[in-house]
Amino acid sequence: MSSVPGVGLSIRCEELVYIYCTGDVDVVAVRGVDLDVDAGERIALLGPSGSGKSTLLGMLGGLIPPSAGRAWIGDDEIGGLTERQLLRMRADRVGFVLQGAARNLLPYGTATDNVRFAQRSISRARRSDLLQPLALLDALGLADIADQPMATLAGGEQQRVALAVAVANGPGLLLADEPTSQLDEPARDAVLDLLEAVNERFGTTIVVVTHDEEVGRRLGRTVSMRFGQVGHEGRKDGQFTVVGKDGSVHLPDEILAEWPPGTRVVVELDADHVRLTRRHP
């Protein structure tokens, strides 16, 4: 596996698809996603529940095999890795925060035990460059509960410990599913401060699924999904609608409120502008 641990990893997705069955019905959770994320970039995946954000994150982490399409983390195509290689990738180079903090933690261990356990596979030489368990916990305002068993901690505290575990190895890529969902504003800001610090110290690429637009603003780039597709992107130079390979365009919510599905629209190209005109019956 060619990428170096501790260095930001790029992401490339080509027509990524995931289909699952519920009863006798096939559901397309992710449909033809094309996405490029530069090494060291920070992005937020936004969108309503069921839009495919968490499924896409799971595919990027090698937890969910794609039904079609291809994805690369650094130079490695995820679909070409064995299960053992995927486990090694997640242990050394990709940090993952799953929804539901308890899924990320050893329930019988303390907060310090959990962070220390996450660093067990890192070489001694590289471990000296990492933030020590107490330093990580202190950055998240958790130093006073560092020696308490996980079962005694509140949900928000467990969530911050889960983030500390995910960044303990200074990963090249951090994938976090709703890491601030149960937190009040000061705790949320502490999480975002830590994400920025890890990004700056290790060059870690960060992809966060969130419903919180403030999280998106802090991370810098937003990618909005709807019906399993990327519809909009936000960057420092503005908000953009993304044209799909099939020519589809996701209109902003305020336009959809006025132009419901089935509305007939005339599309006209005028120099560098496209004009959409509603055609009334």
Side-chain angles (χ1 to χ4, degrees):
M1 302 181 67
S2 52
S3 300
V4 179
V7 177
L9 297 171
S10 61
I11 296 172
R12 179 160 59 99
C13 303
E14 291 185 355
E15 299 186 33
L16 211 56
V17 174
Y18 182 70
I19 302 172
Y20 67 93
C21 295
T22 174
D24 296 328
V25 179
D26 289 339
V27 178
V28 184
V30 172
R31 56 179 76 225
V33 166
D34 294 300
L35 179 66
D36 290 292
V37 181
D38 292 336
E41 194 172 8
R42 303 181 313 211
I43 79 167
L45 295 178
L46 301 171
S49 297
S51 61
K53 308 182 303 297
S54 295
T55 302
L56 177 59
L57 204 73
M59 286 193 284
L60 294 177
L63 300 176
I64 300 174
S67 303
R70 305 168 75 187
W72 289 261
I73 300 297
D75 295 328
D76 297 312
E77 184 183 354
I78 297 176
L81 302 180
T82 66
E83 187 59 35
R84 186 167 186 171
Q85 287 174 318
L86 288 171
L87 288 171
R88 175 54 59 184
M89 180 183 76
R90 290 193 290 267
D92 290 349
R93 302 186 300 139
V94 177
F96 210 121
V97 181
L98 299 167
Q99 281 196 58
R103 299 170 64 193
N104 303 273
L105 302 168
L106 302 172
Y108 50 81
T110 65
T112 302
D113 291 336
N114 272 269
V115 175
R116 188 174 291 123
F117 184 78
Q119 294 179 335
R120 73 195 185 286
S121 63
I122 299 299
S123 68
R124 183 171 298 179
R126 183 167 169 259
R127 195 176 301 173
S128 63
D129 295 329
L130 300 176
L131 294 172
Q132 296 302 302
L134 278 176
L136 271 176
L137 295 170
D138 184 53
L140 288 168
L142 297 171
D144 57 336
I145 55 89
D147 295 323
Q148 294 185 29
M150 298 313 303
T152 67
L153 301 185
E157 292 171 329
Q158 290 188 11
Q159 196 154 351
R160 283 181 284 165
V161 174
L163 179 60
V165 167
V167 302
N169 292 344
L173 172 64
L174 174 65
L175 304 171
D177 198 351
E178 298 283 4
T180 64
S181 61
Q182 298 181 38
L183 307 181
D184 58 20
E185 188 172 320
R188 179 201 66 188
D189 290 344
V191 166
L192 293 174
D193 289 343
L194 179 63
L195 292 178
E196 291 175 351
V198 169
N199 175 255
E200 292 171 3
R201 176 163 181 160
F202 299 107
T204 301
T205 306
I206 295 175
V207 182
V208 173
V209 166
T210 182
H211 286 86
D212 189 340
E213 293 186 2
E214 178 59 28
V215 173
R217 281 190 287 271
R218 283 281 300 268
L219 292 176
R221 177 186 173 191
T222 60
V223 174
S224 298
M225 296 184 66
R226 186 190 293 162
F227 304 121
Q229 295 177 304
V230 172
H232 305 279
E233 283 205 28
R235 298 173 182 259
K236 291 182 179 179
D237 54 343
Q239 298 288 323
F240 304 92
T241 296
V242 178
V243 179
K245 286 189 175 180
D246 59 355
S248 62
V249 172
H250 290 182
L251 297 176
D253 291 340
E254 59 269 23
I255 294 180
L256 279 176
E258 299 294 329
W259 295 3
T263 299
R264 294 187 300 157
V265 176
V266 177
V267 181
E268 299 173 297
L269 180 62
D270 180 13
D272 293 331
H273 298 83
V274 174
R275 181 185 297 111
L276 304 180
T277 305
R278 179 167 55 177
R279 179 60 57 87
H280 293 282

